[in-house]
Amino acid sequence: MACMMYADDILLISASLAGLQELLDECVLISNEICLKFNEKKSHCIIVGPISMRFVAKVMLGGTSLMWENSIKYLGIDLMAGSSFDVDLDQVRRKFFVSANSILRHCTGASELIKLYLCESFLSSSVVLCYCKFTAMYCCTLEI
């Protein structure tokens, strides 16, 4: 079981449904203690591995059943459900090229060094490479 957090986004990862439900229950207990409420409409789950979605039991966040989806977005990256871990980087690539073209279009008179500096400064955070392989994994994103 694992948990990744950034600001108000939480990604829970578990090798079993029971483990995922334990993580969700713990999140609900802690959020109640610190007076936070999860947005169930923005909280979703995916399955990664050779498990069919037809036979997946419900997981609950408090009293609400969470939806099983084909993909979830975590920190702007689409994590895809399927037989192996996959990330959809098309949107990240599009944003990268739009930003690069915008920088270069507005710097027509600048030196190559200035263009390189601007691209390095503004585009390095747009490039994300991710590759992992799991036999089975249940993921759930929660938003406060």
Side-chain angles (χ1 to χ4, degrees):
M1 293 189 283
C3 176
M4 296 184 341
M5 298 184 292
Y6 182 81
D8 65 346
D9 291 322
I10 301 172
L11 177 68
L12 302 175
I13 303 171
S14 176
S16 70
L17 276 173
L20 181 61
Q21 187 60 62
E22 285 180 36
L23 286 170
L24 289 166
D25 293 343
E26 189 67 25
C27 285
V28 169
L29 286 174
I30 292 171
S31 68
N32 287 339
E33 289 176 9
I34 59 175
C35 300
L36 291 177
K37 180 165 173 31
F38 288 104
N39 186 342
E40 293 90 358
K41 293 178 182 174
K42 292 185 176 181
S43 301
H44 308 282
C45 301
I46 61 169
I47 298 174
V48 176
I51 301 159
S52 173
M53 294 233 330
R54 292 180 300 217
F55 304 110
V56 178
K58 291 181 180 180
V59 289
M60 305 295 284
L61 180 61
T64 305
S65 176
L66 295 181
M67 299 294 297
W68 291 97
E69 304 289 346
N70 293 322
S71 68
I72 54 177
K73 187 176 291 276
Y74 183 69
L75 301 180
I77 304 295
D78 288 324
L79 307 176
M80 311 301 290
S83 59
S84 63
F85 184 75
D86 193 17
V87 177
D88 182 8
L89 294 176
D90 288 341
Q91 186 176 19
V92 173
R93 263 190 290 263
R94 273 192 301 278
K95 287 180 181 179
F96 174 85
F97 285 115
V98 165
S99 298
N101 287 332
S102 177
I103 289 170
L104 296 175
R105 186 178 67 243
H106 289 90
C107 296
T108 54
S111 71
E112 294 298 316
L113 191 57
I114 297 293
K115 291 177 187 178
L116 179 62
Y117 174 76
L118 288 170
C119 286
E120 285 178 348
S121 298
F122 292 103
L123 301 178
S124 61
S125 63
S126 299
V127 179
V128 176
L129 299 175
C130 223
Y131 177 78
C132 298
K133 190 167 185 172
F134 298 95
T135 55
M137 177 176 69
Y138 300 88
C139 297
C140 187
T141 58
L142 305 175
E143 191 161 317
I144 297 173

